Amino acid sequence: MRSLKLLAQNTTSTIAVEWTPSKKVDSSYQSESALEKELIATLQAQGYEYAPITDETALESNLRTKLETLNSTTLSDTEWQRFFKQVLSRANASIVEKSVLIQEDYIQPLERDNGSTINFKLIDKADIHKNSLQVINQFQATTETRSHRYDVTILVNGLPLVHIELKRRGISLKEAFRQINRYGRESFFSGSGLFEFVQIFVISNGTQSKYYSNTTRDFHIKTQNGIKTTKTSNSFEFTSYFSDEKNTIINDLIDFAKSFFARHTLLNILCHYCVLDVDRKLLVLRPYQIAACEKILQKIAISYHNKFYEKASEQKSGGYIWHTTGSGKTLTSFKTAQLVSKIPEITKVLFVVDRKDLDYQTMREYDRFQKGAATGSKNTKELQARLHSKDKEHKIIITTIQKLSRFIAQAKDSEIFDEHIVMIFDECHRSQFGQMQKDISKAFKKLYLFGFTGTPIFAANALGFETTERVFGACLHRYTIIHAIRDNNVLPFRVSYHATAKLKDEITDRQVPAIDTEEVLLARERIGHITRYILEHFATHTKRNAKSYTLNGRHTLGFNAIFATQSIPMAMRYYEEFQAQQASLPESQRLKVGIIYSYAPNDEQEEESSEDTTSLPKSQRDFLDSAINDYNAAFKCKFDSSADNFHNYYKDFSLKLKNRELDLAIVVNMFLTGFDATTLNTLYVDKSLRHHGLLQAYSRTNRILNSIKSFGNIIAFRDLQRNTDDALALFSDENAKGIVFLRSLEEYLHGYTDDKGEHKGYHELLQTLHTRFPLDSFLESTLKQSDKRDFLALFGEILKLRNILEVFDDFIDLLSERDRQDYQSYYIDIYESLRAKDQAQKHSVLDEVEFEVELLKQVEVSIEYILELIAKYHKHKDTHSYEHIVKLLDSSLSLRSKKELLLRFIESLNPQSDVAKDFSTYIAARKDESLSSIITDLNLKPEKTRAFIQDAFERGELRDYGQAFGEILPPSPLFGKGAEQTHKVRKQALQKLQELFELFRGLELRQER
């Protein structure tokens, strides 16, 4: 009872109820140094101790002092050194292993000199205010090749757990992000590697401030380096704003410092609101997620002490969380369930879903956050066993509402009905209706009922059912689609409407039983026209013409799509039409189209609630089996429409969609709710959608993946404009359109004005480009530095606008492909020349420019394509083809450094040459020749060096640290007379091998495959 009493009395929330921005009195120029001093002063005023620590020795000494104080003990020098070397600075320990020490294994055994062992804390999570907080700045990290000074770092018990990178006001926030990435590549691992303990990074330019986890940085670096990872690339898009409970962003650095860095807030986030998942990826909750967790915890505490559960009909003991689709409700519900399960007074925490596939999906998601944190139940008998189990380690149970309802009917006298039970309903707009939910509320005498939904049921969309508030109680926290798009947590939509048949107003897209309407919509001519349109524009809509990105360790081209149809007969007809229209195409050019549906009493229902295929009419069941056979042939598997096999088909179908192996999924109701796939960017709609069903379906497309995927693309073959506007008004507000939807083609072409000011159109930007930087007289050497920056900024804006415009069917690019390549060549040239100057200057001249790396990559050419062009040139000796190859190489980020190598290959060709075969031989020979030269010049160990560089190509990363690199060097002293020469050889070896690695990377991997 004590834990809930303390919780009920706690008035200090991690997230501020409402934040009032500080009044700014000084409007003069502020340098980065002045910003840093102001930040440190603000932290000191909040109780942080300033520590003048700028080197490794002082950092370690302070760490020992603070950990001894935390553990109320004094260690001998040998005890400390043993613990420090074996636990904190263990050789080759990864960022992940260090995060595990902070998040999970923060109490470590420490061996005393007398042979005894004590428990030694790195951080106190039971009483967070026992931890010490210090702020340091200008810490100098030095490696053999680099020296960096870090801006501001927060030490928790002496460990650097939060690092802050600052840029002066007016500088791009992305530059701070890139700076931290450089530290990660070049120096965080230096010395004892203590800076790899950092859990959270904060970036700010004074005006804007954001935070993100260490693995966001780690995965971004790996992706940029071409290293294979098992996860989608995380980049700047995954950084988060901090806000108050009302979702007001706290942007200014000093306001951010007063809120995010308030002692109880920062320590709560580090200790309680981080999740290290089973893939060892650190997830730091966003402010609205933390607010939702705390609102539920407080509601349980207040309801417990006031016995609100005794008034079940008034729904005072629970409430619902309205967090828009795609905002991370599963993580929020998991962390909530995890925190609630630690309350002794609560017997069980049930997470309730309404579909078997969601039962499986939620179990898998919860297991991803923490293996074994929750238990499932195959049937009602197993659910009963879980509910009656006294095992304190398994208080969280995931089940379906159907199994729970059967349990209530079969076990009316169960003692569990008298225990304190917390139930969390996922997507409660679906499961809140019907007798089952009422039976559950009636059976459990001490029930705390909570719902999560992205689209609540209000009076306006109730359609005869009860509202979400009537069933669950008041809304405890709200985070709508407007907030999510504004915060860049999900993408906006682009919706286009295509009229395919003229129907009378009274029956257009209405649920009116009109046979004529159905006949028109199912007409072969109409179905054929729409199918032809999709096939013709699919590459544009899904950006298949773009450069590949890395997904699950493989190169992936563009995105994929779902096609939502009105009924099973319509879905069947579309599937047949896709098969027919693609029959004449070579297999390599055909889209992989799949279809999935199951029985529903009424095809018009907006969500599917079962995987029942046995009740389908024979014709529909036979058709489904035939389509599954096509799927089996395409993916070499064995499924059918029988009960168990269909469930496995569903799971495999889902996985193929998520992995972008399936190009287009034709559905009726399935996959339009509760399905998340970052690779989906397009929804084709030939279906009447409205209210929550419409917004749920649209939201399948707007998960963030990378900067190439900049919006969710909705192509509607019905007049859904009014329904779309109504849904948006219901689930956000009347003025949301400017935030939620992209603007029109005309506005992007000719410009527009909004509350952020005037935005120039694509045509005006091109006009400025041609006027200020004409190609026929473009001389980089004559451009002033300010002109170079202007050119980079201008062409960067053109790239961003072009990325949006490319999916508009009517977009005609006035910038020719050849001119784009030429300008892109200059863009890369100028950026690289300015970056080279930056390395010799204290302040970057590129801070104010965002270099669009990912947008350049999406129009990259592959080495395979270059080889095709070389083969054509070799056959016909066409001068134009040769010039085209040179232009492509100049405009390619990845291939321009290999230009000389590739042009020399062209010169080496003779009439008998086989381009593809000879290229592999040529690359292998040139690589071996270059490596042999380096080995000879620097007297490196041949076998060790060859093994080292081969390992680098296989990893996609050349590691200049660890034992392997040291083993390739010639024997030489580390200290004394020869130490300087040793350092020189090491530096030269690293530089030469890095140059070789960069030159042959990509070419080597491709020719080996």
Side-chain angles (χ1 to χ4, degrees):
M1 196 173 292
R2 181 174 177 272
S3 61
L4 277 172
K5 185 175 182 181
L6 289 172
L7 190 59
Q9 292 173 345
N10 180 23
T11 57
T12 307
S13 299
T14 303
I15 307 299
V17 175
E18 187 171 5
W19 185 260
T20 304
S22 304
K23 292 183 179 179
K24 300 293 181 289
V25 293
D26 188 358
S27 59
S28 61
Y29 170 84
Q30 185 181 42
S31 67
E32 187 178 312
S33 175
L35 188 66
E36 185 177 299
K37 288 177 182 177
E38 187 179 9
L39 170 63
I40 293 171
T42 303
L43 294 175
Q44 285 181 284
Q46 293 173 218
Y48 285 68
E49 171 196 348
Y50 177 75
I53 296 171
T54 57
D55 60 47
E56 181 84 13
T57 303
L59 186 65
E60 182 188 338
S61 176
N62 177 73
L63 173 60
R64 176 178 176 177
T65 300
K66 291 301 179 182
L67 287 178
E68 286 178 337
T69 302
L70 177 69
N71 289 277
S72 303
T73 189
T74 301
L75 304 178
S76 69
D77 289 346
T78 55
E79 287 170 342
W80 169 252
Q81 284 303 317
R82 185 163 53 241
F83 182 78
F84 184 72
K85 289 179 180 178
Q86 293 177 358
V87 178
L88 298 178
S89 64
R90 183 164 55 86
N92 297 322
S94 66
I95 292 172
V96 165
E97 291 169 305
K98 291 175 181 179
S99 289
V100 171
L101 279 176
I102 300 303
Q103 297 301 329
E104 296 175 356
D105 300 336
Y106 50 90
I107 300 177
Q108 286 286 312
L110 185 147
E111 184 184 348
R112 305 304 300 252
D113 289 338
N114 62 10
S116 64
T117 302
I118 61 170
N119 287 329
F120 199 71
K121 294 179 183 177
L122 301 182
I123 190 168
D124 193 325
K125 295 194 177 185
D127 187 348
I128 62 171
H129 292 292
K130 286 185 178 179
N131 300 294
S132 72
L133 290 176
Q134 295 170 288
V135 55
I136 66 172
N137 70 317
Q138 296 302 308
F139 181 91
Q140 184 164 349
T142 305
T143 67
E144 292 177 350
T145 57
R146 293 283 188 275
S147 181
H148 289 301
R149 283 188 178 273
Y150 305 151
D151 288 344
V152 180
T153 306
I154 304 300
L155 306 182
V156 181
N157 306 323
L159 279 170
L161 296 191
V162 183
H163 177 68
I164 308 159
E165 188 62 29
L166 302 175
K167 295 295 173 186
R168 69 181 184 275
R169 295 181 190 274
I171 300 303
S172 168
L173 200 59
K174 284 186 179 179
E175 182 54 36
F177 182 81
R178 286 193 285 264
Q179 183 72 54
I180 288 175
N181 288 346
R182 287 193 285 274
Y183 292 157
R185 288 192 300 268
E186 299 170 4
S187 63
F188 277 151
F189 55 82
S190 65
S192 300
L194 292 178
F195 268 80
E196 289 191 320
F197 274 101
V198 170
Q199 302 292 283
I200 298 173
F201 291 96
V202 172
I203 50 176
S204 179
N205 57 9
T207 307
Q208 287 181 296
S209 307
K210 301 185 84 174
Y211 70 100
Y212 57 98
S213 73
N214 59 12
T215 46
T216 296
R217 175 190 65 82
D218 192 40
F219 273 80
H220 180 63
I221 292 172
K222 288 179 179 178
T223 304
Q224 293 295 91
N225 287 341
I227 300 171
K228 291 183 179 181
T229 63
T230 57
K231 286 289 174 188
T232 301
S233 62
N234 285 342
S235 58
F236 182 79
E237 284 79 11
F238 290 82
T239 58
S240 297
Y241 291 107
F242 198 61
S243 60
D244 62 17
E245 277 187 14
K246 295 184 177 180
N247 305 306
T248 302
I249 293 175
I250 303 170
N251 246 328
D252 184 86
L253 176 62
I254 302 309
D255 286 339
F256 187 92
K258 290 176 181 178
S259 54
F260 184 88
F261 286 115
R263 288 178 61 91
H264 72 281
T265 296
L266 181 65
L267 289 170
N268 262 335
I269 292 172
L270 284 169
C271 294
H272 303 310
Y273 292 110
C274 289
V275 174
L276 192 63
D277 70 15
V278 293
D279 292 317
R280 308 288 81 180
K281 179 181 174 184
L282 186 68
L283 310 172
V284 182
L285 269 66
R286 292 165 175 157
Y288 60 87
Q289 294 175 307
I290 297 171
C293 290
E294 293 193 337
K295 287 293 184 184
I296 290 177
L297 290 169
Q298 290 165 6
K299 186 68 175 180
I300 292 170
I302 293 168
S303 299
Y304 178 89
H305 286 285
N306 290 284
K307 297 185 177 180
F308 286 157
Y309 49 78
E310 292 180 350
K311 300 178 181 179
S313 61
E314 298 178 24
Q315 295 303 348
K316 288 187 176 182
S317 62
Y320 73 95
I321 302 297
W322 176 6
H323 283 185
T324 191
T325 304
S327 60
K329 290 193 295 297
T330 306
L331 175 58
T332 312
S333 68
F334 167 78
K335 176 49 74 172
T336 302
Q338 191 183 57
L339 293 172
V340 172
S341 70
K342 294 177 181 177
I343 300 173
E345 294 88 343
I346 301 301
T347 304
K348 296 289 179 183
V349 183
L350 272 68
F351 191 82
V352 186
V353 297
D354 71 344
R355 298 201 318 243
K356 186 169 70 171
D357 62 292
L358 291 178
D359 191 6
Y360 160 80
Q361 185 175 308
T362 305
M363 193 74 213
R364 193 177 64 180
E365 288 291 310
Y366 271 28
D367 269 352
R368 188 173 68 81
F369 298 140
Q370 182 186 333
K371 193 73 175 175
T375 58
S377 52
K378 296 176 184 176
N379 49 47
T380 306
K381 185 177 180 181
E382 194 170 284
L383 173 61
Q384 181 171 335
R386 300 273 190 250
L387 286 169
H388 290 155
S389 170
K390 302 297 182 184
D391 187 353
K392 299 294 183 184
E393 294 299 314
H394 296 97
K395 287 176 65 172
I396 305 173
I397 301 170
I398 299 172
T399 188
T400 63
I401 191 171
Q402 292 85 2
K403 276 182 276 193
L404 191 55
S405 180
R406 286 194 293 270
F407 164 74
I408 292 170
Q410 295 170 13
K412 293 183 178 178
D413 298 324
S414 173
E415 60 187 28
I416 196 70
F417 294 137
D418 295 315
E419 300 290 340
H420 290 275
I421 304 294
V422 172
M423 284 190 195
I424 300 172
F425 278 65
D426 180 42
E427 289 299 351
C428 62
H429 70 268
R430 291 198 298 259
S431 52
Q432 64 192 24
F433 309 123
Q435 190 60 42
M436 283 190 289
Q437 194 275 333
K438 293 177 181 177
D439 292 342
I440 290 167
S441 297
K442 186 177 179 181
F444 289 89
K445 305 298 188 295
K446 298 172 182 177
L447 179 64
Y448 307 83
L449 190 65
F450 299 96
F452 278 80
T453 182
T455 48
I457 301 301
F458 302 112
N461 64 319
L463 301 174
F465 296 107
E466 293 189 35
T467 64
T468 305
E469 184 170 353
R470 175 68 187 85
V471 175
F472 288 91
C475 180
L476 301 179
H477 192 261
R478 183 173 178 261
Y479 185 79
T480 70
I481 192 168
I482 287 185
H483 301 125
I485 291 174
R486 177 205 64 186
D487 296 349
N488 300 316
N489 289 329
V490 296
L491 300 171
F493 301 111
R494 179 238 174 187
V495 185
S496 60
Y497 306 100
H498 298 258
T500 58
K502 291 188 176 181
L503 304 176
K504 294 180 179 178
D505 290 343
E506 65 269 18
I507 60 173
T508 302
D509 292 333
R510 308 280 185 207
Q511 294 195 343
V512 176
I515 296 174
D516 290 344
T517 304
E518 184 71 10
E519 285 181 356
V520 170
L521 296 175
L522 278 172
R524 291 282 182 188
E525 185 181 353
R526 178 178 180 273
I527 298 288
H529 170 75
I530 291 173
T531 303
R532 195 172 305 108
Y533 169 83
I534 291 174
L535 288 172
E536 287 175 359
H537 295 87
F538 191 84
T540 301
H541 292 158
T542 59
K543 288 187 171 286
R544 293 298 176 91
N545 298 322
K547 173 68 171 74
S548 64
Y549 54 91
T550 301
L551 179 73
N552 295 335
R554 64 183 174 83
H555 290 295
T556 305
L557 196 64
F559 310 110
N560 53 357
I562 285 179
F563 191 178
T565 62
Q566 187 71 42
S567 63
I568 291 174
M570 181 178 281
M572 292 163 57
R573 191 160 288 186
Y574 271 117
Y575 184 80
E576 288 178 327
E577 192 63 33
F578 273 103
Q579 296 294 90
Q581 291 196 23
Q582 294 198 104
S584 60
L585 296 175
E587 190 171 342
S588 61
Q589 294 179 24
R590 296 177 196 167
L591 297 182
K592 284 189 170 66
V593 179
I595 184 172
I596 191 166
Y597 55 80
S598 64
Y599 174 74
N602 178 9
D603 280 340
E604 300 293 335
Q605 69 180 46
E606 291 175 336
E607 291 136 6
E608 197 122 22
S609 59
S610 77
E611 293 177 20
D612 176 19
T613 55
T614 58
S615 301
L616 287 170
K618 186 177 185 304
S619 60
Q620 295 180 4
R621 177 89 180 263
D622 290 345
F623 188 95
L624 183 59
D625 272 320
S626 176
I628 293 175
N629 284 336
D630 294 341
Y631 182 93
N632 291 337
F635 296 108
K636 296 179 174 58
C637 41
K638 294 180 180 179
F639 300 114
D640 58 51
S641 67
S642 61
D644 290 339
N645 257 330
F646 183 75
H647 180 62
N648 292 331
Y649 173 61
Y650 178 98
K651 290 196 292 185
D652 194 75
F653 195 96
S654 168
L655 196 61
K656 293 287 190 293
L657 261 182
K658 289 186 178 186
N659 290 340
R660 225 248 60 192
E661 296 173 69
L662 197 60
D663 297 313
L664 179 67
I666 299 175
V667 304
V668 181
N669 296 311
M670 283 182 164
F671 291 101
L672 298 184
T673 61
F675 175 74
D676 293 340
T678 56
T679 63
L680 276 171
N681 86 317
T682 299
L683 174 71
Y684 297 106
V685 184
D686 192 3
K687 181 182 180 71
S688 180
L689 292 170
R690 47 193 184 142
H691 302 317
H692 55 279
L694 180 143
L695 202 57
Q696 286 281 339
Y698 282 14
S699 296
R700 298 314 100 210
T701 66
N702 72 337
R703 301 301 188 273
I704 290 174
L705 177 63
N706 51 31
S707 62
I708 299 170
K709 182 183 175 183
S710 50
F711 53 86
N713 195 23
I714 314 299
I715 314 291
F717 303 112
R718 303 284 184 100
D719 183 7
L720 296 178
Q721 185 156 7
R722 181 177 174 182
N723 289 7
T724 300
D725 293 346
D726 289 347
L728 193 60
L730 185 64
F731 297 114
S732 48
D733 65 52
E734 298 285 350
N735 302 312
K737 291 176 71 172
I739 297 173
V740 176
F741 298 131
L742 291 188
R743 293 182 174 269
S744 67
L745 174 63
E746 287 300 307
E747 288 174 300
Y748 285 121
L749 289 178
H750 303 296
Y752 60 93
T753 303
D754 61 13
D755 55 0
K756 294 180 182 178
E758 185 180 346
H759 301 265
K760 292 181 179 179
Y762 187 70
H763 288 169
E764 184 179 351
L765 291 175
L766 286 185
Q767 181 62 42
T768 303
L769 181 71
H770 291 310
T771 303
R772 284 196 63 186
F773 307 102
L775 278 174
D776 56 3
S777 59
F778 197 111
L779 288 175
E780 183 185 336
S781 58
T782 64
L783 293 178
K784 293 185 288 187
Q785 188 165 287
S786 60
D787 289 333
K788 291 179 180 180
R789 280 204 304 265
D790 288 349
F791 171 73
L792 291 180
L794 175 61
F795 194 71
E797 282 301 307
I798 287 171
L799 285 174
K800 284 190 283 188
L801 256 182
R802 192 172 180 270
N803 185 49
I804 293 173
L805 285 165
E806 280 176 329
V807 298
F808 285 87
D809 296 342
D810 300 329
F811 172 57
I812 299 173
D813 197 350
L814 299 183
L815 184 66
S816 71
E817 187 64 18
R818 177 163 286 222
D819 285 357
R820 182 196 61 75
Q821 288 172 358
D822 286 339
Y823 276 121
Q824 187 164 308
S825 301
Y826 290 127
Y827 184 68
I828 300 170
D829 281 342
I830 291 173
Y831 182 83
E832 289 181 345
S833 68
L834 289 178
R835 188 172 61 175
K837 287 183 181 179
D838 282 353
Q839 294 174 356
Q841 297 180 13
K842 188 174 180 181
H843 295 293
S844 171
V845 297
L846 287 170
D847 278 351
E848 297 169 37
V849 178
E850 292 180 18
F851 188 60
E852 300 298 337
V853 177
E854 281 189 297
L855 296 182
L856 284 181
K857 284 183 177 180
Q858 73 160 319
V859 291
E860 283 266 73
V861 291
S862 66
I863 187 64
E864 288 88 352
Y865 179 60
I866 291 291
L867 289 177
E868 285 180 20
L869 294 179
I870 291 175
K872 288 179 182 177
Y873 165 72
H874 176 57
K875 185 176 181 180
H876 302 291
K877 291 293 186 289
D878 178 14
T879 305
H880 177 75
S881 297
Y882 185 84
E883 290 177 356
H884 184 46
I885 292 169
V886 173
K887 282 181 180 291
L888 283 173
L889 293 176
D890 282 336
S891 65
S892 168
L893 270 176
S894 62
L895 295 179
R896 64 190 280 113
S897 62
K898 312 176 200 310
K899 176 182 174 182
E900 184 181 346
L901 185 70
L902 291 164
L903 294 182
R904 279 169 55 198
F905 169 66
I906 295 175
E907 292 172 6
S908 73
L909 296 173
N910 58 55
Q912 289 73 42
S913 294
D914 180 325
V915 171
K917 183 180 177 182
D918 288 358
F919 182 72
S920 295
T921 306
Y922 172 81
I923 290 298
R926 295 291 78 74
K927 189 181 75 165
D928 187 67
E929 181 184 289
S930 300
L931 186 57
S932 297
S933 176
I934 294 170
I935 291 170
T936 302
D937 291 348
L938 299 176
N939 194 27
L940 304 180
K941 298 175 184 176
E943 289 187 15
K944 295 279 188 182
T945 305
R946 293 183 192 283
F948 173 78
I949 203 72
Q950 184 60 33
D951 177 69
F953 281 117
E954 289 174 359
R955 287 178 180 274
E957 174 191 29
L958 188 141
R959 295 185 173 180
D960 61 342
Y961 54 92
Q963 187 177 352
F965 180 66
E967 288 179 345
I968 74 173
L969 302 172
S972 52
L974 295 174
F975 304 100
K977 272 187 176 182
E980 187 175 338
Q981 179 61 24
T982 300
H983 178 69
K984 184 179 179 181
V985 171
R986 187 183 181 96
K987 188 174 181 180
Q988 286 178 329
L990 176 61
Q991 181 182 340
K992 295 285 186 184
L993 290 174
Q994 187 70 50
E995 287 172 358
L996 180 142
F997 175 72
E998 292 299 332
L999 179 60
F1000 291 98
R1001 182 170 65 171
L1003 305 181
E1004 170 72 11
L1005 288 172
R1006 289 175 189 274
Q1007 65 102 9
E1008 283 181 357
R1009 283 202 294 269

